[in-house]
Amino acid sequence: MQIKPVLRHLVVGLWAALALSSTAAATDWNAASVEALDKLQSYLRVDTSNPPGNETPAAELLQSWLSSEGIETKLYDPMGNPQRQALVARLPGKSGKTLVLMSHSDVVPAVVADWKHPPFAAEVHDGVLYGRGALDTKGLGILQVMTLLLMHRGGFVPDDTIVLLIEPDEEVDGGGIHGMLKQHAAVFGDVRMVLNEGGQGTIGLLKPEQVIFFVQTAEKGAAWMKLKVHGDAGHGSVPLRNNAVVAMARALDKVSRYETPLRPPATVLRLFQGLAEQASFPDSFVMNHLDSAIVRGLAGGKLTERPMVNALLRTTISLTGMKGGYKTNVIPSDVEATLDCRVVPGDSSAALRAELTRVIDDPRVQIEMLNDGTPSESPVDDDLMNAIRAAVAPQFPGAVVAPFMSSGGTDSAPFRELGTKAYGFNPLVATEAEMSTMHGIDERIGVERLRQALQIHYETIASLVRHAKENR
């Protein structure tokens, strides 16, 4: 061991820690959180429901806040539609590397009549902020915007350049990120890491009051399929043996009763091993040995009782739609159904299609692949995990920070396809009930959770870009 290099790294590390703590101490987090809430309410009030999207007014709003304080910003048109622009902001660093912060400005539609609080009013009731996009992902977007503003105000000069991308069309076709990477790849520079949605802070998910910060390192592939059956058409008063509706009903019944094997990928195994430290026997034993087929066979039923846990452990199949027939007294010749399948790393959509063909066992049922469904994964980054742990500890002592595979897709996948490390990190802490409001009714976050998340996000990003040089 060489003593001088070790001492040098210790001194640099101590200096960086002291500098970071002094920067944090100089920030009035109460005032910053009030500003963040005000900005988030304004952002939520811009209706960017997709379809149709119309994200440009939201991008212009965020741009006005950043550019008015001297931060470099520019709007881009990745989709050939001036009403659907992306925002890029930049905080220059001293090195040639880039850290990309990414979130999307579009939201899924909301049925106003179903909500107790109007989805685009951004009202606060009993310390809770309601609004479509609060969790997915306008809340994260404001954390990113505020982090840039606070750094710029404090004269913070990062080692790595920080590039903020607020993109359109994540919720439908991914046109925003694909357009940016195809037409404006030079905007991002030499990217060493992307931080996006996909991870989440949770409380009470596995046991009461336990706080877990999931960091998404992998995501399932969306293998969407269409089942099609052609049969004989005729008058409903004369039953037909080759009835397409009957054939489809039988096929869907078989699919609904079929379960893929439990096959947790490496990310999920590491997640449960980390959680096992806080669990009691026999749960701790099961969590530590999910790589054993015997353990999965014995404990699989209990493990998969909760839908969210079940989705972590296997490739999943959901029946999402069926159409056919246009009149009660007419037997239709064609019937279709859709399946939303999510493939874990190590599985493939082609193998799943072949397995479903075997399960259905009816040559009349044709299976059409709507998209490839390739999973994506980045290696666990210990520098990122340690930075998050250090930022989380003062706010949530004893909280677990663990790698995670999301069942839903994100726009991190295109970066991973290019060989760039991409992770999901959103420090907004939510209960399981609150998380279920993403794409649901009365989407919401706690106001106090926003304050906590802002400080965690700022300190995590500051740590990553401050230590960028010595970690490469």
Side-chain angles (χ1 to χ4, degrees):
M1 177 183 291
Q2 295 181 343
I3 301 298
K4 287 185 178 180
V6 172
L7 288 174
R8 177 179 174 275
H9 281 293
L10 283 173
V11 171
V12 170
L14 287 171
W15 175 85
L18 289 170
L20 182 59
S21 63
S22 64
T23 301
T27 302
D28 184 341
W29 291 109
N30 287 328
S33 63
V34 170
E35 181 182 354
L37 175 60
D38 180 67
K39 282 180 164 50
L40 179 52
Q41 286 179 293
S42 297
Y43 192 20
L44 292 172
R45 287 167 183 153
V46 182
D47 185 349
T48 53
S49 299
N50 188 13
N54 193 33
E55 297 96 338
T56 295
E60 290 174 337
L61 175 68
L62 302 183
Q63 182 186 39
S64 69
W65 295 332
L66 293 162
S67 61
S68 67
E69 298 199 28
I71 295 176
E72 176 189 340
T73 65
K74 186 175 179 179
L75 295 181
Y76 290 84
D77 185 6
M79 302 177 65
N81 184 343
Q83 295 305 311
R84 309 202 66 183
Q85 296 188 78
L87 167 67
V88 173
R90 183 183 305 273
L91 198 63
K94 293 176 285 187
S95 76
K97 294 287 186 177
T98 301
L99 173 69
V100 176
L101 305 180
M102 180 168 68
S103 58
H104 59 87
S105 54
D106 62 320
V107 299
V108 296
V111 179
V112 177
D114 292 341
W115 287 54
K116 294 180 181 177
H117 307 286
F120 300 104
E123 297 175 352
V124 175
H125 293 272
D126 298 324
V128 176
L129 171 63
Y130 292 83
R132 172 61 84 219
L135 288 170
D136 186 16
T137 59
K138 290 184 175 181
L140 176 60
I142 290 302
L143 297 181
Q144 295 167 339
V145 167
M146 285 296 301
T147 293
L148 258 64
L149 287 171
L150 292 173
M151 286 182 172
H152 183 69
R153 291 169 187 171
F156 184 101
V157 179
D159 284 332
D160 282 353
T161 293
I162 302 175
V163 170
L164 170 65
L165 170 64
I166 306 291
E167 44 150 350
D169 198 43
E170 189 275 342
E171 295 289 4
V172 177
D173 293 322
I177 189 59
H178 288 293
M180 289 299 298
L181 289 175
K182 184 176 181 179
Q183 303 166 32
H184 308 291
V187 165
F188 304 107
D190 188 358
V191 182
R192 75 176 182 96
M193 183 185 295
V194 175
L195 294 181
N196 185 26
E197 65 171 328
Q200 186 71 49
T202 69
I203 185 168
L205 186 61
L206 297 181
K207 62 182 184 180
E209 303 306 313
Q210 181 189 43
V211 177
I212 306 171
F213 287 87
F214 292 117
V215 182
Q216 187 227 54
T217 62
E219 61 187 72
K220 287 182 166 182
W224 293 352
M225 302 183 192
K226 180 186 287 185
L227 307 188
K228 299 191 290 187
V229 178
H230 180 77
D232 296 331
H235 199 286
S237 64
V238 181
L240 300 174
R241 294 187 182 278
N242 188 24
N243 186 321
V245 176
V246 173
M248 182 63 79
R250 288 173 177 164
L252 294 182
D253 178 59
K254 291 177 181 179
V255 171
S256 69
R257 288 186 284 112
Y258 170 72
E259 286 189 326
T260 62
L262 293 178
R263 194 173 289 144
T267 294
V268 174
L269 293 176
R270 182 165 170 173
L271 164 65
F272 276 93
Q273 287 165 1
L275 297 176
E277 299 175 4
Q278 298 193 12
S280 56
F281 186 84
D283 290 344
S284 59
F285 180 84
V286 172
M287 289 179 175
N288 270 318
H289 295 86
L290 280 177
D291 55 343
S292 165
I294 295 175
V295 171
R296 293 198 300 270
L298 292 173
K302 187 175 188 303
L303 278 172
T304 57
E305 286 177 349
R306 299 177 71 175
M308 290 185 66
V309 176
N310 177 60
L312 290 174
L313 299 176
R314 57 162 41 109
T315 291
T316 56
I317 305 164
S318 292
L319 311 182
T320 57
M322 179 175 174
K323 66 178 181 178
Y326 56 91
K327 204 168 184 291
T328 304
N329 64 347
V330 175
I331 298 173
S333 59
D334 294 286
V335 180
E336 296 181 350
T338 52
L339 307 180
D340 184 346
C341 306
R342 303 288 171 146
V343 181
V344 297
D347 283 356
S348 73
S349 55
L352 179 61
R353 179 187 182 184
E355 179 65 4
L356 288 176
T357 299
R358 182 195 67 79
V359 168
I360 293 171
D361 192 26
D362 186 340
R364 293 175 296 175
V365 182
Q366 302 300 308
I367 304 178
E368 176 187 344
M369 294 296 303
L370 300 180
N371 56 309
D372 181 72
T374 302
S376 72
E377 189 168 12
S378 293
V380 175
D381 188 290
D382 289 327
D383 292 331
L384 171 62
M385 302 296 282
N386 289 334
I388 295 172
R389 289 189 182 101
V392 161
Q395 303 282 342
F396 297 97
V400 175
V401 177
F404 177 71
M405 178 191 71
S406 64
S407 55
T410 73
D411 280 347
S412 293
F415 278 101
R416 294 188 184 118
E417 291 170 7
L418 296 173
T420 301
K421 294 193 296 184
Y423 303 97
F425 171 56
N426 186 347
L428 284 165
V429 174
T431 64
E432 188 172 2
E434 289 167 339
M435 286 190 293
S436 71
T437 65
M438 290 188 198
H439 291 211
I441 299 169
D442 288 327
E443 185 175 351
R444 58 192 182 271
I445 57 171
V447 172
E448 173 61 15
R449 299 304 190 198
L450 180 65
R451 184 197 65 77
Q452 294 167 321
L454 177 58
Q455 188 167 353
I456 292 170
H457 187 271
Y458 176 94
E459 293 179 354
T460 298
I461 304 306
S463 177
L464 285 174
V465 296
R466 189 185 295 279
H467 297 293
K469 281 185 177 178
E470 57 191 277
N471 285 340
R472 277 196 296 275

